[in-house]
């Protein structure tokens, strides 16, 4: 365990540092600047120059990054150029929405994907082929199109769920679940196709192993063989794939939160980019990177628990 944590730190710390540096310098290449975005396109050049100096935008780029890095190492990500609010405060207010969205989406993807995968592996006839077709369609459908389809069906036609907006859990648990239903289904169902395919292949491979024949010869029920032994041995690649899907979902939240008007980190990143608010973009990027490296550690720990060879 110590060696695992040491390796994780040895790779994660340089990764976070590298991403922050790359984001900062790439952000400087975006046309326009924060001063012009705040004052408007027709602002007086002297006023723009004064605001440039006040914001420190007239300093060399490396000097700006170094100042940001020193503050960040002390836990201070600075303040938003556009709103003047503390970046940690903005991130803390929007992080729960994104975490609920990703957590619910992963749960839906795991349940639907594993169910479809096991069904396709155990039933090679029409049901298995139907599951394969459904999984292929799920992998091919664009996320934004699927989101609009769900809105049309469940929000416009059936009026079961709201089309846009978010209600905090503390305000109303029922409305909170309802406001997250369509965004979660959008990310979860489109991601379940990959889980279904991986589960199907893994279960089919494990069902051909000698230990399955031995368990059957001993009279062990088929259900016990599948759910207690086969799924456990086929689960390690599925967990790894779920970790990769979480990384993809972080990018997907940017689009989904815009479609469903959710006040999450994806929407914050879009708004900050439009305002050329580099410190805010920097904060969102660093937080996303920290989430990713934490997920990688969790996947590694779960993988070790499922696969005895990984603990050797």
């Amino acid at each position: 365990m110590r060696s695992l944590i040491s390796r994780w730190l040895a790779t994660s710390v340089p990764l976070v540092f590298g991403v922050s540096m790359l984001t900062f310098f790439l952000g400087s290449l975006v046309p326009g600047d924060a001063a012009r975005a705040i004052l408007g396109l027709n602002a007086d050049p002297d006023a723009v120059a004064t605001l440039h100096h006040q914001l420190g935008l007239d300093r060399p780029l490396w000097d700006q990054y170094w100042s940001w890095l020193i503050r960040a190492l002390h836990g201070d990500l600075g303040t938003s150029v556009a709103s003047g609010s503390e970046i940690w405060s903005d991130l803390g207010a929007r992080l729960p929405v994104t975490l609920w969205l990703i957590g619910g989406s992963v749960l839906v993807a795991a349940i639907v994907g594993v169910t479809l995968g096991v069904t396709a592996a155990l039933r090679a006839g029409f049901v298995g082929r139907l599951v394969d077709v459904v999984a292929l369609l799920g992998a091919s459908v664009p996320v934004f199109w699927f989101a609009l389809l769900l809105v049309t069906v469940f929000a416009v036609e059936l009026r079961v769920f709201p089309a846009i907006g978010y209600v905090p859990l503390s305000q109303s648990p029922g409305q909170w679940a309802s406001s997250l239903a369509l965004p979660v289904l959008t990310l979860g169902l489109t991601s379940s196709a990959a889980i279904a395919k991986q589960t199907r292949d893994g279960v089919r491979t494990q069902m051909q192993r000698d230990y399955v024949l031995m368990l059957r010869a001993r009279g062990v029920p088929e259900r016990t063989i599948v759910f207690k032994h086969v799924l456990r041995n086929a689960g390690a690649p599925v967990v790894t794939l779920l970790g990769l899907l979480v990384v993809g979902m972080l990018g997907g939240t940017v689009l989904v939160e815009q479609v469903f008007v959710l006040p999450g980190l994806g929407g914050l990143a879009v708004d900050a980019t439009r305002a050329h608010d580099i410190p805010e973009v920097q904060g969102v990027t660093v937080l996303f990177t920290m989430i990713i490296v934490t997920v990688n550690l969790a996947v590694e720990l779960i993988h070790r628990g499922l696969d005895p060879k990984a603990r050797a």
Side-chain angles (χ1 to χ4, degrees):
M1 181 64 69
R2 289 183 178 179
S3 61
L4 173 62
I5 298 297
S6 299
R7 290 199 304 270
W8 176 76
L9 289 174
T11 56
S12 299
V13 173
L15 177 62
V16 174
F17 170 76
V19 169
S20 69
M21 182 170 59
L22 186 62
T23 302
F24 193 91
F25 286 101
L26 288 179
S28 66
L29 301 179
V30 177
D33 56 60
R36 181 66 66 179
I38 294 173
L39 297 178
L41 298 177
N42 298 322
D44 181 70
D46 293 336
V48 173
T50 300
L51 186 57
H52 258 279
H53 179 71
Q54 293 175 351
L55 297 176
L57 299 178
D58 55 347
R59 295 157 52 197
L61 195 59
W62 64 266
D63 189 26
Q64 296 180 44
Y65 175 74
W66 180 254
S67 298
W68 176 89
L69 181 61
I70 295 299
R71 293 195 306 269
L73 292 176
H74 289 83
D76 180 16
L77 293 180
T79 58
S80 169
V81 173
S83 64
S85 59
E86 293 288 336
I87 292 178
W88 272 123
S89 177
D90 293 342
L91 297 178
R94 291 178 176 254
L95 178 61
V97 181
T98 298
L99 291 183
W100 283 123
L101 175 58
I102 294 177
S105 301
V106 170
L107 183 62
V108 169
I111 293 175
V112 174
V114 170
T115 301
L116 292 177
V118 172
T119 303
L122 300 181
R123 299 189 180 185
F126 172 76
V127 175
R129 290 194 295 271
L130 179 61
V131 170
D132 289 343
V133 171
V134 172
L136 180 60
L137 289 176
S140 305
V141 171
V143 174
F144 72 90
W145 182 87
F146 191 63
L148 295 177
L149 176 64
L150 291 181
V151 169
T152 302
V153 174
F154 293 101
V156 178
E157 298 295 336
L158 300 179
R159 298 184 179 181
V160 178
F161 302 113
I164 59 174
Y166 175 77
V167 178
L169 176 61
S170 58
Q171 180 177 329
S172 173
Q175 294 182 10
W176 165 80
S178 180
S179 65
L180 281 176
L182 294 184
V184 165
L185 288 176
T186 298
L187 282 179
L189 292 180
T190 53
S191 301
S192 64
I195 299 295
K197 185 178 184 303
Q198 180 63 58
T199 303
R200 180 201 63 187
D201 296 342
V203 171
R204 283 180 178 175
T205 300
Q206 293 298 321
M207 292 297 290
Q208 299 173 1
R209 301 291 188 186
D210 293 338
Y211 75 87
V212 174
L213 297 177
M214 295 178 61
L215 291 172
R216 286 173 175 168
R218 294 172 57 184
V220 178
E222 193 72 13
R223 181 181 297 272
T224 302
I225 294 175
V226 173
F227 291 99
K228 185 177 180 179
H229 301 281
V230 171
L231 274 182
R232 178 182 177 86
N233 293 328
V238 175
V239 171
T240 302
L241 181 57
L242 277 173
L244 295 176
L245 287 177
V246 170
V247 177
M249 287 178 182
L250 283 172
T253 57
V254 176
L255 177 61
V256 171
E257 289 176 6
Q258 288 295 298
V259 173
F260 293 100
V261 195
L262 298 179
L265 293 176
L268 179 62
V270 173
D271 295 339
T273 302
R274 290 172 178 170
H276 301 282
D277 192 347
I278 300 302
E280 195 84 81
V281 174
Q282 191 83 348
V284 174
T285 304
V286 169
L287 184 56
F288 272 174
T289 307
M290 293 173 65
I291 293 175
I292 290 172
V293 297
T294 303
V295 168
N296 288 339
L297 177 62
V299 167
E300 182 68 23
L301 293 174
I302 297 174
H303 190 278
R304 283 173 170 253
L306 293 174
D307 188 2
K309 296 179 181 179
R311 297 194 297 267

